[in-house]
Amino acid sequence: MSHPWSLFDDHLRLAVRLTPNGGRDALDGIEADGEGKAFLKARVTAVPEKGKANKALILLIAKSLRIPKSNVSLVSGETARKKILRIDGDPEDLLKKLEMFLG
């Protein structure tokens, strides 16, 4: 299986499959979709209206990686379950934090 992230010079891009109204805020590991693309599974308690679930996802990622939420932005998938996040910072450092969090 591939990884849900891509490294760039000054940021990391992360593919996420979000479940809004998920009962709790949590990152649930990595899974592949039917095409073999890897996604980080995430769930938030927020509802998918007026960007509430997206904001909750950004906050969850920022807290998990211990970075400011201003370093996390939505690149694509505003109204879709599958999203691409841009996480600004040293990509190697971010990747280490992500791998430590995911185990």
Side-chain angles (χ1 to χ4, degrees):
M1 177 170 40
S2 62
H3 299 290
W5 55 78
S6 301
L7 303 180
F8 294 86
D9 287 341
D10 62 346
H11 70 281
L12 176 145
R13 288 200 180 186
L14 182 63
V16 178
R17 183 175 178 275
L18 179 64
T19 302
N21 245 353
R24 61 189 168 96
D25 292 348
L27 299 177
D28 293 333
I30 297 171
E31 79 173 14
D33 65 6
E35 300 170 2
K37 293 181 183 174
F39 287 89
L40 175 65
K41 294 189 313 181
R43 65 177 64 217
V44 295
T45 57
V47 293
E49 59 186 40
K50 299 181 183 175
K52 292 178 184 176
N54 290 338
K55 288 178 185 172
L57 172 63
I58 287 170
L59 186 61
L60 174 63
I61 295 291
K63 281 184 176 179
S64 299
L65 298 179
R66 294 187 172 116
I67 59 173
K69 66 181 180 183
S70 60
N71 286 18
V72 183
S73 58
L74 188 64
V75 173
S76 67
E78 190 170 320
T79 58
R81 289 181 67 133
K82 293 181 180 176
K83 303 175 183 301
I84 303 293
L85 297 178
R86 176 187 169 125
I87 306 171
D88 290 325
D90 177 2
E92 295 295 332
D93 184 46
L94 292 169
L95 183 56
K96 286 178 189 171
K97 288 180 181 181
L98 187 61
E99 287 176 333
M100 279 187 356
F101 186 81
L102 293 174

